[in-house]
Amino acid sequence: MTAMDLPGAKARGAQASPATKSAPAAATRTKAPAVAYISWIALALMTTSSVASLRAAPSMAVYGLAAVFLYLLPAIVFLLPTSLVSAELASGWNGGVYRWVSEGISAPMGFLAVWCQFAMTIFYYPSLLAFVASTLAYVINPALATSGLWTAAVIMICFWAGVYISSQGTKSIAGLSSMGLIIGTLVPGVLLVTLGVVFLGQGNPSAAPMDAGHMLPAWAGLASLVLIVNNFLSYSGMEMNAVHVSSLRNPGREFPRSMFMAMGLVLLIFVLPALAISWVVPAQQISLTSGVMQAFDAVFGQFGVTWMTPILGVMLVVAALGGMLTWLAGPSKGLLLVSRQYGYLPPFLQRLNKHGVQQNILVAQGAVTTVIALMYAFIPDVSSAYWIFSVITTQVYLIVYLLMFVAAVRLRRTQPDHPRGFRAPALLALCVVGFLASIAALLIGFVPSSQFGGGSVVLYVSIVGGGLAIIGLLVPYLFYRLRKPHWRTADPAATTAVE
């Protein structure tokens, strides 16, 4: 058994063996960098930045008052369980989802959970940065929006810039992502809602009915169910930043606070701007394909301030880039932690830079992102295939939640006396509801959407199911089977550097 396996090994450093004492040079090289603490408010803003945005506001505005129901129901059955359960787990166990699942189920399942969390981001970044490219094109030259070379260049430049920033440490990420949320989401959202209130205050009737008869969306069978369940995934990512819980001064008290603050902000960001657009712009004039820029332009047009649209576009870009930074920092750090403890990745990918950041994992991920970006440039009709890949990675991410809810229940039963800074009320009920919501979202993912273009349902299910099996199960299984004993980090100081 190595020193890393012993509880409190770090605290008992004075009792180290003579061999350890005689190697001051080695100790100097592996000394953990000082912890850069962040506030719980900064962590709440990081979490909000990774989940909430204004991009969905136009598509939800077409439902008018029913948008509240379409966001509130998923918040009750998915956001609330996810937030409360992850708050309890993070207040008792550092390390994020890999540690929770490892303790609650098994180490291989912990690796599966963190791998699925990481794999989801492979296609998330190009999608997010493609939005950045189209928004910048609207500001600079709308003709660029159809240019594959422009989209590819923006994706690569922004992603590699994000890798560099992330390599500077968590404190840098916290500051920039918080700034991105405030500048690019909160300020435009408050502006939009204020204009909507002013519009109504001037005596104008709401473009969408706001009476009790329109609180629920019109039922359209399976399509309505798909719409509701898809909104579950709007809240995915609430648990991701739990990997940074060790950067808080008092994790037991501060992490639950940050989660509650993030929950409130996420709901406000999703609901109020969608309502404001529905007050000002009639549903038939809202373009679902043109996106958020046209919706804002229509609102600003009512007040004769369309000159603000390009400014808002730049602000939205800042928000998107801040969200990217939080996703870069969380899943890759979780993958690093479990790989160092159990040796699931080669030593090359486990190396840290001088800031204690998993730079090699980020660079490897950047190489994959670059390949995907080049697809935009050289493959004319990549959107359909890319959309299917996005569905697959979303399915993969749901595995994380299934494992997390199971682990939480088991930890309450097997380690009831383990210190927890926060205990979620009615944990079993929360986990059952969250688990069933995740299963529902997983099953709905096998229902072809309009983006599939009316192709064969059997082909679609085969592609999504096969992709889920390969990315979510086969790849982590191969890492598990091919791991080598010497891949396991034996130096507690090196492991502590990222914890």
Side-chain angles (χ1 to χ4, degrees), residues 104-117:
I105 304 177
S106 67
M109 289 296 101
F111 175 67
L112 174 62
V114 76
W115 167 261
C116 290
Q117 189 182 58

Side-chain angles (χ1 to χ4, degrees), residues 156-317:
M156 288 188 287
I157 292 172
C158 291
F159 186 83
W160 285 108
V163 168
Y164 172 77
I165 294 171
S166 296
S167 68
Q168 304 307 299
T170 302
K171 194 165 186 177
S172 300
I173 298 167
L176 290 173
S177 62
S178 299
M179 181 181 67
L181 174 71
I182 293 170
I183 293 175
T185 300
L186 295 183
V187 171
V190 169
L191 176 62
L192 186 61
V193 174
T194 300
L195 291 177
V197 171
V198 170
F199 178 80
L200 296 179
Q202 291 175 340
N204 297 302
S206 172
M210 290 289 126
D211 56 87
H214 292 83
M215 292 183 63
L216 299 178
W219 181 253
L222 183 60
S224 296
L225 185 61
V226 171
L227 174 66
I228 294 172
V229 174
N230 280 344
N231 269 2
F232 292 177
L233 303 177
S234 299
Y235 298 114
S236 60
M238 288 295 289
E239 84 298 335
M240 181 190 63
N241 287 301
V243 75
H244 300 306
V245 70
S246 58
S247 296
L248 298 172
R249 293 186 182 276
N250 189 342
R253 293 180 57 190
E254 294 181 343
F255 188 81
R257 287 182 186 176
S258 72
M259 292 300 287
F260 283 116
M261 180 177 176
M263 274 197 297
L265 287 174
V266 166
L267 275 173
L268 291 175
I269 291 169
F270 278 145
V271 173
L272 294 184
L275 282 179
I277 293 175
S278 73
W279 295 337
V280 181
V281 186
Q284 61 271 21
Q285 295 180 19
I286 298 176
S287 172
L288 300 183
T289 56
S290 297
V292 69
M293 291 297 290
Q294 280 77 3
F296 272 91
D297 197 47
V299 173
F300 291 152
Q302 293 286 340
F303 296 89
V305 290
T306 53
W307 55 268
M308 293 184 62
T309 305
I311 299 175
L312 182 113
V314 174
M315 297 170 74
L316 291 176
V317 166

